[in-house]
Amino acid sequence: MFVSRRMGSLVVGATRQKHTLPQLPYEYNALEPVISREIMSLHHSKHHATYVNNLNAAEEKLAQAQAKGDIHTIISLAPALKFNGGGHINHAIFWQNLSPNGGKPSDQLTKAIEQDFGSWENMKNQLATSAVGVQGSGWGWLGYNKQMKKLQIATCQNQDPLQATTGLTPLFGIDVWEHAYYLQYKNVRADYVKAIFDVANWNDVSARYEKAIK
């Protein structure tokens, strides 16, 4: 029997259920002019798809190694599982975090932002500064610290998933890998980060926050 925890659910069965590329809740051109159709198409259908395919391949090798008791191979697969698994988790959140009609933060989230950052603009500026400041590739995040019961900003390198890396529940993530913006914004990451707030799906972020505080 194969037992696996994936995306918050428990999958039990005789055969491993493969991860799949999630469909976008909007068309590739829906976020223009902030994010071009070309970027969205490549980012989703190529980059995210590659993480999914590589994660499935790594999990298949892991299952084979576990069946053989091959501890050396099991250990050697950890980086591939972390990188591709993180890439899949992060992007699955990212697509939902964006929308051409993202609404406004809920009253609950607005109150928390004002309490933990002083104002909406302070939160936005701190998150933008952190995301722009990531060295190389990575992510800027607004997350929720369940132990401290407060919102926090954090960054992660490469495709490290926020929760596994910091313990924070991910609410809103900004992908600052070059493939997320370079075709449109060239090397000016700050312009991309500033613009992405215009297509942020605050309905989704608010729902994640309200689930996190329960």
Side-chain angles (χ1 to χ4, degrees):
M1 179 179 292
F2 180 83
V3 181
S4 174
R5 289 194 178 275
R6 297 189 304 151
M7 303 298 287
S9 61
L10 183 65
V11 179
V12 181
T15 59
R16 186 180 65 84
Q17 187 174 359
K18 290 188 176 182
H19 302 277
T20 58
L21 181 67
Q23 289 187 340
L24 295 185
Y26 40 76
E27 299 297 326
Y28 283 140
N29 64 352
L31 304 182
E32 291 184 334
V34 174
I35 305 178
S36 70
R37 185 187 191 285
E38 183 180 18
I39 288 177
M40 289 299 296
S41 176
L42 290 171
H43 198 170
H44 176 256
S45 68
K46 302 297 183 183
H47 290 280
H48 190 174
T50 297
Y51 296 129
V52 171
N53 292 337
N54 288 343
L55 176 60
N56 284 327
E59 285 191 346
E60 184 65 33
K61 292 178 182 178
L62 177 63
Q64 294 172 0
Q66 288 173 329
K68 297 175 182 177
D70 183 355
I71 187 64
H72 298 291
T73 298
I74 292 172
I75 293 172
S76 72
L77 287 168
L81 290 166
K82 180 181 180 182
F83 181 77
N84 293 293
H88 180 38
I89 290 170
N90 291 340
H91 285 87
I93 296 171
F94 185 61
W95 307 133
Q96 297 293 329
N97 274 174
L98 303 177
S99 172
N101 301 295
K104 296 180 179 180
S106 66
D107 291 342
Q108 264 190 313
L109 180 57
T110 297
K111 183 178 179 181
I113 288 172
E114 291 174 349
Q115 177 178 309
D116 295 332
F117 297 99
S119 70
W120 165 260
E121 285 302 316
N122 283 344
M123 183 281 291
K124 181 178 174 181
N125 290 337
Q126 288 182 39
L127 177 54
T129 299
S130 295
V132 172
V134 171
Q135 294 186 350
S137 300
W139 292 72
W141 288 97
L142 174 65
Y144 181 69
N145 187 320
K146 289 193 173 185
Q147 290 186 328
M148 299 179 67
K149 299 185 184 303
K150 63 182 297 185
L151 298 169
Q152 289 184 346
I153 286 169
T155 60
C156 294
Q157 292 294 318
N158 300 314
Q159 293 296 351
D160 292 356
L162 182 70
Q163 193 154 5
T165 304
T166 68
L168 299 177
T169 301
L171 304 179
F172 177 58
I174 302 176
D175 186 348
V176 290
W177 279 66
E178 286 191 343
H179 63 237
Y181 64 89
Y182 197 86
L183 287 175
Q184 188 171 354
Y185 293 89
K186 307 307 180 191
N187 63 320
V188 190
R189 179 188 285 179
D191 286 353
Y192 156 73
V193 170
K194 179 181 178 180
I196 204 167
F197 285 96
D198 292 337
V199 290
N201 186 355
W202 294 111
N203 294 325
D204 178 67
V205 179
S206 297
R208 291 178 188 276
Y209 172 70
E210 287 156 20
K211 182 178 180 181
I213 63 175
K214 289 182 179 179

